[in-house]
């Protein structure tokens, strides 16, 4: 996310009321402060989060149960609620893009999908249904410029392919808009130094049918793009075992 282009509080679009979320399996909360976090570098924060969840045994060692989700749209105007950077009581903010991690687990028929959002004031992690209902509020803006799109990328592919030289956080004079993380820039396994824009760019034309996307997500390094209608159903359609 770009802090220079985030609008918090009542200045954003006016949504319709969201329905209450359904009950979801509970999860053990974690101390969000124990994870690496640099303000306005959500893509790198989630990259580091995935690696840490794998390291400490919360996720599969290969990250097969983790999915990185870029939230944006054609206009780069993405309304979300329960964001710590907001100045409003309900945590409403309008980012140009945001990135979260979704952990999708299956255990003897039980589904436990969790959302890890380092920038949210919701439980960390949150049950998927709670996060979708409270933070995303699907269809709250109808068919408008604020409708959200979600690029879902399988974490094993993301960790191999993603790269950022952080140039998007510099002004024309080369000064930092927001100070970068203390560790070095992330480079892809093939030597690519910057492809952040490839993950953020998305259009409604990128959305395919649900059945093909649950297969393509395991082979496409850029993942698949789903809309607000498909998102609540997408993870429940993933196979119990991952390729």
């Amino acid at each position: 996310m770009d802090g220079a282009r985030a609008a918090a509080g009542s200045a954003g679009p006016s949504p319709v009321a969201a329905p209450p979320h359904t009950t979801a399996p509970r999860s053990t909360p974690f101390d969000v402060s124990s994870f690496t976090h640099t303000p306005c570098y959500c893509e790198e924060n989630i990259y580091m989060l995935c690696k840490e969840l794998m390291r400490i045994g919360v996720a599969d060692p290969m990250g097969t149960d983790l999915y990185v989700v870029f939230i944006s749209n054609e206009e780069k105007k993405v309304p979300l609620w329960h964001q710590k950077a907001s100045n409003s009581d309900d945590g409403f903010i309008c980012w140009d893009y945001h990135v979260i991690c979704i952990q999708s687990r299956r255990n003897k028929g039980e589904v436990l999908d969790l959302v890890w959002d380092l920038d949210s004031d919701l439980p960390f992690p949150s049950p998927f249904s709670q996060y979708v209902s409270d933070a995303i509020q699907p269809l709250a803006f109808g068919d408008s410029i604020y409708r959200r799109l979600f690029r879902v990328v399988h974490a094993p592919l993301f960790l191999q392919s993603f790269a950022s030289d952080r140039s998007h956080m510099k002004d024309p004079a080369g000064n930092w808009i927001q100070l970068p993380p203390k560790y070095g820039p992330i480079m892809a396994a093939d030597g690519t130094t910057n492809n952040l824009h490839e993950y953020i760019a998305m259009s409604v034309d990128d959305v395919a049918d649900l059945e093909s996307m649950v297969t393509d997500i395991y082979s496409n390094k850029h993942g698949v793009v789903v809309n607000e209608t498909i998102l609540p159903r997408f993870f429940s359609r993933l196979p119990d075992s991952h390729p």
Side-chain angles (χ1 to χ4, degrees):
M1 72 190 72
D2 186 340
R5 295 199 296 270
S10 59
S14 299
V16 298
H21 63 77
T22 56
T23 302
R26 297 184 62 184
S27 59
T28 302
F30 283 74
D31 181 3
V32 66
S33 65
S34 64
F35 293 86
T36 300
H37 180 269
T38 305
C40 298
Y41 288 83
C42 56
E43 64 282 348
E44 295 198 33
N45 294 335
I46 292 301
Y47 180 100
M48 301 300 288
L49 171 73
C50 288
K51 287 200 164 187
E52 182 65 6
L53 293 178
M54 293 157 56
R55 187 190 70 82
I56 64 178
V58 174
D60 176 83
M62 300 300 293
T64 58
D65 56 342
L66 300 178
Y67 299 82
V68 175
V69 181
F70 284 77
I71 309 172
S72 192
N73 53 32
E74 295 96 328
E75 301 293 329
K76 302 296 187 294
K77 296 178 180 179
V78 183
L80 291 175
W81 286 261
H82 290 279
Q83 294 290 292
K84 296 174 186 176
S86 172
N87 296 321
S88 65
D89 292 339
D90 58 2
F92 180 83
I93 199 168
C94 194
W95 295 115
D96 54 346
Y97 70 96
H98 189 47
V99 188
I100 61 176
C101 173
I102 294 181
Q103 184 173 23
S104 185
R105 296 184 290 177
R106 305 290 184 272
N107 182 23
K108 298 179 180 179
E110 180 185 19
V111 177
L112 182 57
D113 291 342
L114 303 172
V115 177
W116 301 81
D117 183 354
L118 291 154
D119 297 289
S120 174
D121 61 18
L122 291 173
F124 184 76
S126 293
F128 176 71
S129 61
Q130 178 185 6
Y131 187 91
V132 169
S133 178
D134 292 355
I136 296 174
Q137 301 190 18
L139 306 180
F141 299 97
D143 189 18
S144 74
I145 62 172
Y146 298 104
R147 60 186 175 183
R148 280 70 50 92
L149 294 171
F150 308 84
R151 182 179 296 280
V152 185
V153 188
H154 199 207
L157 292 172
F158 179 74
L159 295 176
Q160 287 290 313
S161 303
F162 175 73
S164 176
D165 62 6
R166 303 167 180 166
S167 56
H168 67 296
M169 280 297 187
K170 289 186 176 181
D171 64 21
N175 301 309
W176 289 110
I177 299 171
Q178 296 286 344
L179 291 178
K182 295 180 180 179
Y183 54 85
I186 296 172
M187 181 182 296
D190 64 2
T192 299
T193 58
N194 190 44
N195 56 20
L196 173 60
H197 60 287
E198 297 175 10
Y199 292 90
I200 298 173
M202 57 189 86
S203 163
V204 293
D205 294 333
D206 297 326
V207 180
D209 66 276
L210 179 57
E211 295 306 320
S212 64
M213 289 192 293
V214 298
T215 300
D216 293 345
I217 192 171
Y218 298 111
S219 58
N220 189 340
K221 72 176 184 178
H222 293 121
V224 297
V225 177
V226 304
N227 58 28
E228 295 184 17
T229 302
I230 295 174
L231 179 69
R233 297 180 287 129
F234 180 78
F235 289 93
S236 67
R237 301 297 294 272
L238 296 177
D240 291 342
S241 58
H242 310 297

